[in-house]
């Protein structure tokens, strides 16, 4: 049985690709055979975040159109065993990802014994975003503590509940998870920013985790190594916790409370 | 802004405003009324109905959605012409 996880948000730039890369890597590090698929046709970026951009030969659309087989197009990750990347196509034809084509690729991944397929959705609520969530078993809704992101997350939840195969066929609904990213405990504490509990109250879906805002993410993307590999940093730990919860483990939330820096720290100019 | 807040650079607590606005818009969008888009049509229909009985300037009928506490209120304001 392959579980299909779609990472989605409606809004762009909230951390979907960062999250797809880290969640897929984390699942693979735990021993699950995992593939991460870039659905952002025309704006391929997952390859850069995964650090495999120079090894891209064939892409998702090539496989769908029969120019290459899946085996040729899947790129083996350098940082985790059991992990494979399927890059998006840079073609400008957004409709190249047909639902029959995507379904065929997903079936084949299942056939090859993949445990998890992580689908990195493009922004928006158009064709690309819809096709990325069509076959989802579980959805990770990435949301920033900011008004337009929360509203767009609610829109995308509506689309999951109406346009996913599970919804259309009246099967058990897609399991929805809220992942709050780019969270700044200090600004939330000071009432400048929505808190994660505010967001959860508004969206009313279970909280998978809270990923703090951190410069580590930029450092990770600069190097093409998913943030989850930056061991010992709050971002990596928060992603690890989220994966644990996804797999049914219990972990208390970390990095969500603001701690006033002590006098010494302030004098020494620590952050 | 007070002198103290100028000195200490106190920031505005705007998160609660954000939350309240989101509660309203999300509730509205969930029931399928995507924004107050239906207000112009409602206004036109009201003008048509009322004109049957009273001559009225279309601009004198105003409709708006407002939030009062936990309720959303549809406000219809009709000003009848004077000197009748
Ligand atoms: N937790 C975080 N802290 C700081 N920056 C982040 C964090 N998550 C994402 N970013 C930054 O936000 C930007 C958008 O992230 P990305 O994952 O590409 O979003 P999306 O795929 O939703 O468009 C990138 O510049 C990324 O480095
Ligand atoms: Mg992206």
């Amino acid at each position: 049985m392959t579980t299909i996880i779609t990472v989605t948000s409606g809004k762009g730039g909230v951390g979907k690709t960062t999250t797809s890369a880290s969640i897929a890597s984390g699942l693979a590090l735990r021993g699950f055979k995992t593939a991460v698929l870039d659905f952002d046709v025309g704006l391929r970026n997952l390859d850069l975040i995964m650090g495999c951009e120079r090894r891209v030969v064939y892409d998702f659309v090539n496989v769908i159109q029969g120019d290459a087989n899946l085996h040729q197009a899947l790129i083996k990750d350098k940082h985790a065993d059991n992990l494979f990347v399927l890059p998006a196509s840079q073609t400008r034809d957004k409709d190249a990802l047909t639902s029959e084509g995507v379904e065929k690729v997903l079936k084949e991944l299942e056939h090859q014994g993949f445990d998890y397929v992580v689908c990195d959705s493009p922004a928006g609520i158009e064709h690309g975003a819809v096709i990325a969530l069509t076959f989802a078993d579980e959805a990770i809704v990435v949301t920033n503590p900011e008004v337009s992101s929360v509203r767009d997350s609610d829109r995308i939840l509506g689309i999951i509940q109406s346009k996913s195969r599970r919804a259309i066929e009246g099967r058990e609904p897609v399991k929805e998870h809220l992942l709050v990213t780019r969270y700044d405990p200090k600004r939330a504490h000071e009432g400048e920013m929505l808190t994660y509990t505010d967001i959860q109250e508004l969206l009313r879906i279970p909280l998978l985790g809270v990923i703090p805002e951190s410069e580590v993410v930029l450092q990770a993307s600069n190097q093409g190594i998913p943030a989850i590999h930056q061991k010992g940093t709050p971002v990596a730990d928060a992603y690890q916790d989220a994966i644990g919860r996804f797999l049914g483990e219990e972990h208390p939330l970390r990095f969500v409370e603001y701690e006033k820096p002590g006098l010494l720290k302030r004098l020494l100019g620590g952050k | 802004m007070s002198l103290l807040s100028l000195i200490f650079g106190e920031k505005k607590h705007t998160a609660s405003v954000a939350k309240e606005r989101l509660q309203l818009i999300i509730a509205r969008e969930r029931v399928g009324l995507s924004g107050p888009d239906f207000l112009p049509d409602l206004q036109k229909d009201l003008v048509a109905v009322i004109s049957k009985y009273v001559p009225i300037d279309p601009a004198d009928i105003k409709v708006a959605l407002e939030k009062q506490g936990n309720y959303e209120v549809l406000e219809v304001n009709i000003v009848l012409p004077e000197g009748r």
Side-chain angles (χ1 to χ4, degrees):
Chain A
M1 254 291 284
T2 307
T3 302
I4 299 168
I5 308 168
T6 298
V7 178
T8 184
S9 71
K11 190 169 158 62
V14 295
K16 289 180 294 297
T17 300
T18 304
T19 297
S20 299
S22 279
I23 297 274
S25 300
L27 287 168
L29 290 175
R30 283 172 177 249
F32 297 106
K33 188 170 177 188
T34 306
V36 57
L37 277 44
D38 190 348
F39 278 74
D40 208 343
V41 173
L43 290 172
R44 173 198 294 165
N45 270 324
L46 181 67
D47 57 340
L48 275 175
I49 302 303
M50 300 294 301
C52 65
E53 71 281 1
R54 281 182 310 190
R55 290 188 289 146
V56 175
V57 183
Y58 297 110
D59 61 51
F60 207 158
V61 170
N62 290 142
V63 177
I64 286 180
Q65 296 182 341
D67 309 327
N69 63 39
L70 187 56
H71 182 75
Q72 292 171 296
L74 283 177
I75 304 170
K76 197 180 169 323
D77 186 67
K78 281 180 298 192
H79 313 288
D81 290 335
N82 305 316
L83 181 58
F84 297 83
V85 184
L86 184 58
S89 161
Q90 291 288 45
T91 161
R92 263 180 257 149
D93 180 10
K94 295 252 181 225
D95 297 328
L97 288 185
T98 58
S99 71
E100 300 76 41
V102 171
E103 189 169 18
K104 213 182 81 195
V105 170
L106 293 172
K107 283 253 165 70
E108 189 159 349
L109 288 167
E110 171 144 34
H111 190 70
Q112 294 186 10
F114 277 87
D115 298 302
Y116 290 101
V117 175
V118 177
C119 303
D120 180 19
S121 173
I125 54 172
E126 304 300 317
H127 177 76
V130 173
I131 205 91
L133 63 78
T134 297
F135 301 98
D137 298 307
E138 313 220 16
I140 298 178
V141 178
V142 177
T143 309
N144 291 167
E146 179 266 323
V147 284
S148 49
S149 174
V150 175
R151 180 201 211 166
D152 289 358
S153 289
D154 196 67
R155 295 286 307 276
I156 211 75
L157 283 167
I159 293 173
I160 292 170
Q161 289 153 15
S162 60
K163 297 200 174 162
S164 62
R165 274 290 162 89
R166 281 178 172 270
I168 290 169
E169 291 171 0
R171 284 185 284 146
E172 198 184 316
V174 176
K175 200 166 165 202
E176 299 156 347
H177 307 270
L178 172 62
L179 188 71
V180 176
T181 62
R182 311 202 63 165
Y183 194 69
D184 185 335
K186 179 166 186 277
R187 299 186 73 188
H189 174 80
E190 288 172 352
E192 272 181 70
M193 239 185 201
L194 294 165
T195 64
Y196 67 92
T197 45
D198 287 338
I199 300 172
Q200 203 193 354
E201 261 175 59
L202 288 160
L203 295 177
R204 298 190 215 145
I205 58 172
L207 183 67
L208 185 67
V210 178
I211 312 297
E213 168 82 17
S214 162
E215 63 261 38
V216 165
V217 174
L218 183 64
Q219 290 159 9
S221 69
N222 282 341
Q223 300 168 271
I225 305 170
I228 198 163
H229 293 291
Q230 311 288 320
K231 288 208 179 71
T233 65
V235 165
D237 287 351
Y239 272 121
Q240 287 287 6
D241 286 356
I243 291 165
R245 291 185 201 106
F246 184 87
L247 297 170
E249 302 163 6
E250 290 204 14
H251 297 278
L253 280 177
R254 293 193 274 174
F255 322 114
V256 292
E257 300 307 334
Y258 172 59
E259 287 157 36
K260 272 209 163 97
L263 184 63
L264 192 65
K265 206 166 180 189
R266 268 188 281 169
L267 286 176
L268 294 175
K271 277 204 177 172
Chain B
M1 206 187 258
S2 73
L3 189 60
L4 269 181
S5 64
L6 269 179
I7 293 169
F8 291 108
E10 181 193 299
K11 297 198 184 113
K12 288 227 176 82
H13 301 257
T14 49
S16 52
V17 180
K19 188 177 180 188
E20 223 171 272
R21 291 173 59 218
L22 281 166
Q23 276 166 334
L24 187 63
I25 191 68
I26 285 177
R28 185 184 294 164
E29 287 178 343
R30 274 189 192 154
V31 294
L33 307 174
S34 55
D37 293 358
F38 65 96
L39 289 182
D41 285 343
L42 175 65
Q43 202 264 356
K44 251 186 253 154
D45 287 352
L46 285 173
V47 170
V49 171
I50 299 195
S51 304
K52 278 204 224 163
Y53 304 94
V54 203
I56 193 164
D57 181 348
D60 285 338
I61 299 187
K62 295 206 170 69
V63 292
L65 275 176
E66 281 196 12
K67 195 181 169 178
Q68 291 180 3
N70 287 326
Y71 298 99
E72 209 177 322
V73 176
L74 173 64
E75 199 180 86
V76 179
N77 222 311
I78 304 172
V79 181
L80 292 178
E82 277 177 60
R84 286 174 47 89

